[in-house]
Every structure is written in C-alpha cells, then in structure tokens.
Amino acid sequence: MKLRGIEFGSVWGQSGVQNFFGEGYPFHKFWKPFGLDFSGMTFVAKTTTVHPRIGNMPLGKDGATPIEWLPKCVVVKPIQGVALNAVGLSGPGLEKLLDTGHWQKRRLPFMISYMSVADTADERLKETKAFVDLLKPRLSEFRSPFAVQRNRSCPNVGLKQVSEENFVKEAWEDLDILADLNVPIVDKYSVTTSPETVLLIARHPAVDGICVSNTIPWGKLPDKIDWDGLFGTKESPLQKFGGGGLSGWPLLSLTADWVKKARAIGLDKPIAAGGGILKPADVDVLYEAGANAVCVGSVAMLRPWRVARIIERGRSSC
C-alpha cells in the first residue's frame, strides 16, 4: 500500500500491538518460539497524546513500559476469541517519546499514531497544533519516512459524542493543521463511524488513506454483538474504567461489511482494515471486501502462534 509514493506494505500492526517503539510486551518473549513473529509487518506505534496521560494502565518511570504483567484494564478471553481493553491511551506524551530518539532511528517506513483528547473541539484543535509544532522541527532527525495515523475513535478517553456535521467540520479543521507536516496522513476509525461520514472526511486533500480497525465501545451494536454471551455479564467487566473497547472475532464480519459499503458509496482512497483476524484465511475476507492492507492486533494475545502465518498470508495475498 503506497502513500505519497512510500511503500507502507500490505500488513500493518494495530497501534500499540508492539508498544511505543516496537519493544513489545513481556509475554511476547514466551510466545516467540511458537510463532509470535512480527517480521514483515509495518510498525505502528501505540497511540500517543500531546501531553502525558495517566490513562488506566500504570506505567514505569520511562512513562512507556507497563508495570503490570496482567493489566487490570484489559480482559483477555482466548477461548472465546475476544478481548476488552480500557487502557485509555496511557503514555508519556509526544515530546518525551521524541526525546528518546527511538522513532528517529528506524530504517523502514512506519506510523506514529496520534489522538487529541481534550473536552472541546477548540481545545482538541489546539492539541493538534501543538502536535505539529513539536514534530515538525524534528522531521530532519528521522532516517526513514513515516506517516501519521490520526486516531479519531478510541473509546477509552471519555470524549463526548457530537453530531455528524460537527464531527466532519472538526476533522477537516484538524486535517488543515496536520497538512503542515507534509507527511502521509491516515485517518483511523472503528466501524461505529459510518462509511458515509468517513467519505466526507476522506475528501480532504490531506487524507492519504483510511484505517478502519479500532475497537468497538462496550454495548455498541447490540443487534450484532452478543455482549452478555461473550463476557457473561450485562455490565462491562471494565465498567470502573469506562467500559472498554472490544476486539476479536466479532469485528471481522463487521469490518468487511463496512469496507464493502465504503467502496460501494465511492470511497476510493486506500483502506487498511483490521479487527478479528485470528487465522490466515481471515485476511482474505478483508481483501475480498476491498481493503488494500490488513491490520494485525489482538491475535497477538488471543492466538499468538498464528501471527507469523497471518503476516505471511497478508503479504502474499495482496
């Protein structure tokens, strides 16, 4: 999948699956001999905010490494093939991440994922301006080209829902600001944002591609997701953290349907699609729906021994 002539590959990591710098998580070492290998996958950093954010996952002194081996804000059900997380974008903020120099040393194209989390549209636009002001002067430090993946639908940060008109208006103003970076921009959503709404935003000239792979907020789409059946409770097991977002097998068909509809209504920009990829054949479902690339994420927790084969399938089937 090329964006502005830069090859970003046909298999992307979900933001955060390899943490902020590609270092991964402690359990990855255990599963590596059994097939947990991210080789051949485009690295997408865990979503950062401009300012340091505590979120719901306690981090170490570096502000990036989780303290808990089994974070209380994540529920993983391997047998059911689903996970629920309410991490809430815990992180040290953009400036500290840049100061480590880790991103700048990367030699292959990758993506920096960003989200603004302020309470009002004006404050969120100011955050994006601050993001650009911090990143732009440091562009010359990077050895490889990168894209910005603009996360617009993380369910774990407490943003209030706004009308479609205001959502589109804010996104366009936000993209006007991001365009000043002169790097590829990928707008990221979940299937709870309609293809019609995304189409309106994708018409902005700064949008190079769309990523539909975010988790689904607890309780959404009850006619399509059996929340009680998946988790054995009518109330989210992460209710104290705000409910959390769902990943795992139920997302595959929902994402495929979303991509098909987006293509049918005229969304012609490249689409990276993910959610529910738990085996190699699942990759074909998203390609056949019209995706240009696939995103690999929760399978690293739910079926880690299949990760290498899924990436291989994604690279060979595009």
Side-chain angles (χ1 to χ4, degrees), residues 257-298:
D257 289 345
W258 192 100
V259 174
K260 289 176 183 176
K261 186 172 183 181
R263 291 307 192 200
I265 64 174
L267 203 166
D268 57 2
K269 290 192 175 179
I271 298 176
I277 299 177
L278 298 184
K279 59 183 184 296
D282 293 339
V283 167
D284 301 337
V285 174
L286 297 178
Y287 280 145
E288 290 168 3
N292 303 94
V294 295
C295 305
V296 176
S298 59

Side-chain angles (χ1 to χ4, degrees), residues 25-27 56-59 66-76 84-87 238 241 301:
Y25 302 96
F27 77 91
N56 298 317
M57 178 183 283
L59 301 173
I67 295 174
E68 303 169 327
W69 270 61
L70 299 173
K72 297 180 181 63
C73 59
V74 180
V75 174
V76 181
L84 192 70
N85 95 80
V87 173
L238 299 178
F241 297 118
M301 296 185 292

Side-chain angles (χ1 to χ4, degrees), residues 35-51:
L36 181 54
D37 184 350
F38 296 113
S39 299
M41 182 179 80
T42 297
F43 170 65
V44 179
K46 179 181 175 183
T47 300
T48 185
T49 52
V50 169
H51 307 294

Side-chain angles (χ1 to χ4, degrees), residues 93-152:
L94 178 65
E95 186 170 19
K96 189 167 183 177
L97 293 170
L98 288 169
D99 286 346
T100 68
H102 293 319
W103 288 339
Q104 293 92 318
K105 295 175 183 177
R106 300 191 71 87
R107 295 184 176 276
L108 295 174
F110 71 102
M111 298 190 184
I112 295 174
S113 181
Y114 156 74
M115 186 168 186
S116 58
V117 294
D119 291 333
T120 69
D122 286 343
E123 291 171 335
R124 289 191 290 273
L125 292 172
K126 287 179 181 177
E127 284 186 340
T128 296
K129 180 64 166 58
F131 174 83
V132 171
D133 288 345
L134 282 170
L135 185 55
K136 187 175 180 180
R138 307 187 69 161
L139 292 177
S140 62
E141 300 174 14
F142 287 78
R143 295 181 180 179
S144 70
F146 68 90
V148 169
Q149 192 174 102
R150 178 55 169 95
N151 190 336
R152 298 197 186 277

Side-chain angles (χ1 to χ4, degrees), residues 176-199:
D176 286 341
I177 298 169
L178 288 172
D180 194 37
L181 288 171
N182 196 30
V183 301
I185 305 295
V186 177
D187 251 26
K188 182 182 180 182
Y189 303 88
S190 81
V191 297
T192 58
T193 303
S194 73
E196 291 83 0
T197 298
V198 174
L199 176 62

